[in-house]
Amino acid sequence: MSEHILIADDDKDIASIIAETLSDEGYIAHIAKNGIEALEIMKTKQISLFILDIMMPELDGLETLRQIKKESDAPVMILSARGRDIDKVIGLQIGADDYMSKPFSMDELIARVNAHMRREHKKNSDIVKFGEIELRKSTFQAIVSGNPIDLSVKEFQILCFLIENKGRVLTREQIYYAVWNDAYGGDINTVTVHIKNIRAKLGDSAGMLKTVWGIGYRMESGV
């Protein structure tokens, strides 16, 4: 699925060139001529990266950046024709992830965009989310409704497997093989015990872990 990138710049020619180049790279580009338009687009599109000019009418890039960071963790690149260090410092202090001075090389801009997207993909691949449940695979941290919960390694792996296959009914055999990597030689009843323990720790989110009688288990929204 292509990422959406928002370019906010009152210079239509520059914005169009950036958008066209990003489209050639496989991104979906959106253009706003000021910060107000940028924030409106942000309400309707899942933006993966923002490119903001500092000098814009109605709402400048720095104030737009402040508003974006209240709602989104997506990386923000600041563009400025001023070339003043103070703009860079302020931008970075309030949450910008990158800064380029105009005029700039389009090849460099694309290289930086691609680098940010690679970092986002790597970061997101480590985190599994479903409803109020968030699992961080590299550290085996489990967070429910903003609070950490204590899962054993096997409990964590089972819950992660169920969430990554949300909506699908998984048999105890499938779960056992995925987590213990043992198609034979083990007691699949241990899956039932682990599921019971997971539910006890999930609190209000336990209702999303459904039992499909006679078959197995499924993660689904709702209770």
Side-chain angles (χ1 to χ4, degrees):
M1 184 171 145
S2 297
E3 290 93 349
H4 292 252
I5 296 180
L6 174 59
I7 307 124
D9 195 321
D10 62 324
D11 188 320
K12 291 194 297 184
D13 292 336
I14 291 178
S16 296
I17 292 170
I18 295 174
E20 183 177 343
T21 307
L22 289 171
S23 297
D24 290 342
E25 290 288 313
Y27 298 109
I28 300 173
H30 306 272
I31 296 175
K33 64 177 179 289
N34 56 53
I36 292 175
E37 282 191 8
L39 296 176
E40 288 299 316
I41 293 172
M42 178 183 165
K43 293 178 183 178
T44 61
K45 304 293 181 182
Q46 187 66 40
I47 304 298
S48 298
L49 182 141
F50 297 84
I51 301 174
L52 306 178
D53 183 39
I54 286 183
M55 296 292 290
M56 292 189 293
E58 298 188 51
L59 195 67
D60 68 22
L62 294 178
E63 183 55 36
T64 304
L65 169 61
R66 288 189 182 93
Q67 297 300 319
I68 287 172
K69 286 301 180 179
K70 291 179 182 178
E71 305 292 336
S72 174
D73 292 326
V76 178
M77 297 178 62
I78 289 287
L79 305 179
S80 176
R82 293 177 179 176
R84 296 197 309 161
D85 286 342
I86 188 63
D87 293 330
K88 179 177 181 179
V89 170
I90 293 173
L92 295 174
Q93 283 179 338
I94 62 177
D97 299 272
D98 208 346
Y99 181 97
M100 293 186 70
S101 296
K102 295 179 180 180
F104 53 83
S105 161
M106 193 61 64
D107 288 340
E108 182 181 356
L109 176 69
I110 295 302
R112 292 194 187 195
V113 167
N114 289 337
H116 283 295
M117 290 296 95
R118 286 193 297 271
R119 283 192 289 271
E120 288 299 301
H121 292 161
K122 184 177 180 180
K123 180 178 73 175
N124 292 334
S125 67
D126 180 60
I127 298 175
V128 176
K129 290 184 177 181
F130 189 65
E132 295 296 319
I133 304 169
E134 178 178 315
L135 304 179
R136 299 174 184 177
K137 294 191 283 187
S138 62
T139 58
F140 285 89
Q141 289 179 289
I143 299 170
V144 178
S145 300
N147 299 309
I149 64 170
D150 184 20
L151 296 179
S152 71
V153 171
K154 294 304 183 187
E155 290 166 357
F156 184 96
Q157 291 173 328
I158 289 171
L159 184 56
C160 190
F161 184 57
L162 286 164
I163 292 176
E164 288 178 332
N165 290 276
K166 57 184 178 290
R168 290 179 55 196
V169 179
L170 300 173
T171 66
R172 290 189 300 168
E173 289 82 2
Q174 286 175 312
I175 296 170
Y176 188 86
Y177 182 72
V179 173
W180 279 267
N181 196 27
D182 182 1
Y184 307 100
D187 182 4
I188 63 170
N189 288 324
T190 192
V191 173
T192 305
V193 174
H194 280 75
I195 291 288
K196 181 180 178 180
N197 292 339
I198 292 168
R199 282 198 176 113
K201 295 176 181 180
L202 286 180
D204 292 341
S205 294
M208 295 192 294
L209 205 175
K210 306 288 188 181
T211 296
V212 182
W213 296 107
I215 304 176
Y217 305 96
R218 176 178 62 215
M219 291 296 293
E220 66 179 36
S221 299
V223 295

